[in-house]
Amino acid sequence: MMKRPFYVCFSRDEALTSAVSLRRIINMMTVIFIVAFLSVAGPSTSFAKAWPERPVRIVVPFPPGGAIDTMTRILAPYLEAGLKKSVVVENRAGAGGIIGTEAVARSTDGHTLLMTAMGHVMVPALNPKISYDALGDFRALAPVGVVPNVVVVPANSPYKTVQDIIDAAKADPGKLTYGSAGVGSSLHMTAALFAAKAGIELTHVPYRGSVAAMTDLVSGRIDIMFDSTTSVAPFVADGRIRPLAVATSARTKAFPDIPTIAENALTDYAVDWWYALLAPKDLPQEGLQKVAAIVAESLQDPKVRESFAAIKVEPMKGNTQSLSDTMQRDSNEWGKLIRELNIQTQ
């Protein structure tokens, strides 16, 4: 006996109900798929909000009024215009820049940047107890400026050239003294490298800041000082101190007639003390590209260049990649010197 086929019959209303239910299931599955896709794809997809979503904060880990603070405030309006968000400059000084730097390393809002100096990459060797990784926890963002250091002596000093200093130090090791703004400061490290390259022994006299050191240099209590063009300019202008050479790889516009140390005595010596914007490692790529482009364009603006020149700062050449390379190189080279000389801030 043949089996009869089995049919399931729906009424018209039942069929419509089934179709509606099927569409609901399909719509629900589509929503689930999109949510799952977004959670995996993350903020880099076209569904993400454009950066920045809120005001941007730039932490300066040093007190207000210095060259690094002034540079940041010169650039802030340009960043505001380019990002179309408020840019707040916050000074968080202390421990030679460590306190403010730690705050940026711990930030999680994706809108906090760090304005810092070359000393940033020296800190791990100077103070191994710091809680952040100077390279691993930060990304190079934008080179900003170079502030040359100058070798200066009292106005009545017998030393006329850097070679005179080297000769005197070799004749009587340890007799000549140099002042600095403290152990590990740019003034200290620039002079320490000079002594190491020249193969001489100088006695370091650390002060609580460069102002106190400069006061003693003017009065003749110390023999030599390496200090920034920003700091020494007024003292040179009124004849209280005499510049001998600049520490940079090329002559500086602030003192165009003063030779470099490399020209004067040590051909392999150069310290271009840089200042730059860094970002925590989790800053979105879009943010990094935007800020880098705005800073690069701003540094070509005649008004910015004029403002920088007024504080004896020279715009730093390069880009994000060259800054990253410079940070890695300086970390290696200065770290080696610091360990060899056993310089510790703690």
Side-chain angles (χ1 to χ4, degrees):
M1 185 173 94
M2 293 182 60
K3 293 184 179 180
R4 299 176 62 184
F6 178 75
Y7 295 99
V8 178
C9 297
F10 293 97
S11 67
R12 181 175 180 276
D13 290 341
E14 288 173 328
L16 287 173
T17 301
S18 298
V20 169
S21 298
L22 181 59
R23 282 198 298 272
R24 286 176 178 172
I25 292 171
I26 292 172
N27 289 340
M28 184 178 297
M29 293 300 294
T30 301
V31 170
I32 291 172
F33 171 78
I34 291 173
V35 170
F37 174 74
L38 287 176
S39 66
V40 172
S44 61
T45 70
S46 60
F47 296 101
K49 293 181 180 179
W51 189 95
E53 300 174 42
R54 59 177 70 92
V56 174
R57 180 171 59 127
I58 303 177
V59 173
V60 178
F62 300 99
I68 185 171
D69 179 62
T70 304
M71 276 184 271
T72 310
R73 295 180 188 278
I74 288 171
L75 293 176
Y78 291 84
L79 286 165
E80 282 192 343
L83 296 174
K84 297 179 174 57
K85 291 289 184 181
S86 297
V87 173
V88 179
V89 178
E90 178 183 335
N91 296 91
R92 297 197 64 173
I98 292 176
I99 290 176
T101 304
E102 282 181 337
V104 177
R106 291 195 303 265
S107 67
T108 57
D109 62 6
H111 288 72
T112 299
L113 310 177
L114 176 71
M115 180 67 166
T116 191
M118 188 164 73
H120 174 82
V121 299
M122 300 180 187
V123 169
L126 291 166
N127 184 356
K129 295 180 181 179
I130 59 171
S131 63
Y132 59 86
D133 184 335
L135 295 181
D137 288 341
F138 292 90
R139 301 173 69 184
L141 190 50
V144 174
V146 173
V147 179
N149 281 324
V150 187
V151 186
V152 289
V153 295
N156 61 354
S157 171
Y159 310 118
K160 307 298 183 183
T161 67
V162 169
Q163 189 61 53
D164 290 343
I165 292 173
I166 294 173
D167 292 342
K170 286 183 176 179
D172 197 348
K175 181 181 178 181
L176 294 184
T177 58
Y178 71 93
S180 81
V183 175
S185 66
S186 63
L187 283 59
H188 177 204
M189 300 311 303
T190 307
L193 180 63
F194 167 74
K197 291 279 188 182
I200 58 176
E201 182 182 341
L202 301 174
T203 298
H204 178 214
V205 183
Y207 291 81
R208 287 182 175 273
S210 64
V211 174
M214 182 60 70
T215 299
D216 275 6
L217 181 77
V218 170
S219 66
R221 293 189 183 92
I222 54 176
D223 299 303
I224 314 158
M225 192 167 167
F226 283 66
D227 205 350
S228 70
T229 49
T230 308
S231 297
V232 307
F235 295 93
V236 172
D238 63 18
R240 284 182 285 175
I241 60 175
R242 186 170 65 248
L244 303 184
V246 292
T248 42
S249 54
R251 293 195 183 196
T252 172
K253 293 178 181 178
F255 299 108
D257 297 329
I258 304 301
T260 65
I261 290 176
E263 289 179 69
N264 195 272
L266 303 173
T267 57
D268 61 345
Y269 179 93
V271 177
D272 295 307
W273 195 269
W274 51 259
Y275 294 81
L277 271 174
L278 308 184
K281 60 184 178 182
D282 60 351
L283 180 77
Q285 184 67 22
E286 180 188 7
L288 187 149
Q289 292 172 344
K290 281 185 177 180
V291 174
I294 293 168
V295 172
E297 184 178 354
S298 300
L299 292 178
Q300 300 306 314
D301 189 305
K303 292 182 179 179
V304 171
R305 288 181 168 269
E306 184 180 344
S307 297
F308 273 31
I311 57 173
K312 312 301 180 187
V313 175
E314 299 178 9
M316 185 177 177
K317 298 177 182 179
N319 52 35
T320 299
Q321 184 58 55
S322 66
L323 174 60
S324 179
D325 294 341
T326 296
M327 290 173 63
Q328 184 64 65
R329 182 199 68 216
D330 287 346
S331 175
N332 294 338
E333 293 181 356
W334 285 101
K336 180 181 178 182
L337 176 69
I338 290 165
R339 288 187 289 271
E340 286 176 352
L341 299 179
N342 193 29
I343 302 171
Q344 294 286 296
T345 58
Q346 293 292 329

